[in-house]
Amino acid sequence: MKGETALWMVACLLLVSLPRGQQESIYHAFVGETVVLPCTTSPPGELIFSKSMLYWQIDKKIVHFFQKGQDSLGSQDKHFCGRTSLFLDQMKHGNLSLKISNVQLQDSAEYTCIYKQDQNHQTKKSYIKLNVSGQSQIPSRSPPETPRLAVLSLSFHLLVTLGVWHL
């Protein structure tokens, strides 16, 4: 009976460590790097340039705006001027990702990708959080999934310990 309870507890720990549903995507970058914030339409290939609008924004601040088949950067926040671009050759396939060059500490924020094809179609939104660090780590950064890996390692350790204890 004790062994079954221990295995059940380990299974619950493993379930807690698994990703759940629609979560906000979090990306990390260092000052001076180039980062790509992902955004796609589903199904891909539905983008009609002449009838579509794509906003990348932070709150009400325009980071990048695309309408009627071209960039429309007149209302772009001056902090992002000359540092943002879209993958124009890939947009027809549904790639609405934003590239930000020379990332700055002030770029840390939650970005919203808003796509609207025309008045008859539903607006699609994606949320991406960008964390910018001023100091690089040597030799490399840890992936954002490290906490889940730590829980899995802990779960394995508990499983082995409880298994030996049960013997």
Side-chain angles (χ1 to χ4, degrees):
M1 187 74 153
K2 289 181 184 179
E4 289 175 9
T5 304
L7 288 174
W8 179 253
M9 288 174 25
V10 170
C12 288
L13 282 173
L14 288 171
L15 284 174
V16 167
S17 70
L18 295 175
R20 294 182 208 111
Q22 183 74 3
Q23 293 183 345
E24 171 184 65
S25 298
I26 300 175
Y27 289 83
H28 302 275
F30 293 106
V31 169
E33 288 184 333
T34 295
V35 67
V36 175
L37 303 180
C39 183
T40 57
T41 61
S42 59
E46 71 179 51
L47 187 67
I48 300 171
F49 290 112
S50 63
K51 296 182 179 182
S52 61
M53 289 188 295
L54 172 64
Y55 292 86
W56 274 94
Q57 62 187 48
I58 300 171
D59 297 321
K60 300 290 181 192
K61 192 182 334 180
I62 300 294
V63 176
H64 199 98
F65 182 49
F66 179 89
Q67 71 174 349
K68 298 181 182 175
Q70 61 186 11
D71 288 330
S72 181
L73 303 177
S75 59
Q76 181 183 41
D77 185 90
K78 62 185 171 196
H79 174 72
F80 292 96
C81 186
R83 297 191 306 122
T84 63
S85 62
L86 302 172
F87 297 89
L88 299 176
D89 59 330
Q90 298 176 21
M91 288 180 72
K92 62 184 173 211
H93 302 295
N95 183 358
L96 308 178
S97 301
L98 177 71
K99 181 167 86 171
I100 305 174
S101 302
N102 191 23
V103 173
Q104 303 298 309
L105 284 173
Q106 304 91 319
D107 295 343
S108 290
E110 181 181 71
Y111 291 75
T112 306
C113 172
I114 303 169
Y115 168 66
K116 178 121 176 115
Q117 187 163 317
D118 61 26
Q119 284 76 23
N120 299 328
H121 288 82
Q122 182 179 1
T123 300
K124 298 177 184 178
K125 290 185 180 183
S126 296
Y127 301 94
I128 298 95
K129 184 170 176 103
L130 176 62
N131 292 325
V132 179
S133 174
Q135 298 182 10
S136 65
Q137 298 177 2
I138 300 174
S140 64
R141 297 176 265 166
S142 299
E145 306 303 322
T146 301
R148 288 190 193 120
L149 294 176
V151 172
L152 288 173
S153 175
L154 175 64
S155 300
F156 179 74
H157 177 72
L158 285 172
L159 180 62
V160 171
T161 303
L162 291 171
V164 170
W165 177 67
H166 182 64
L167 293 175

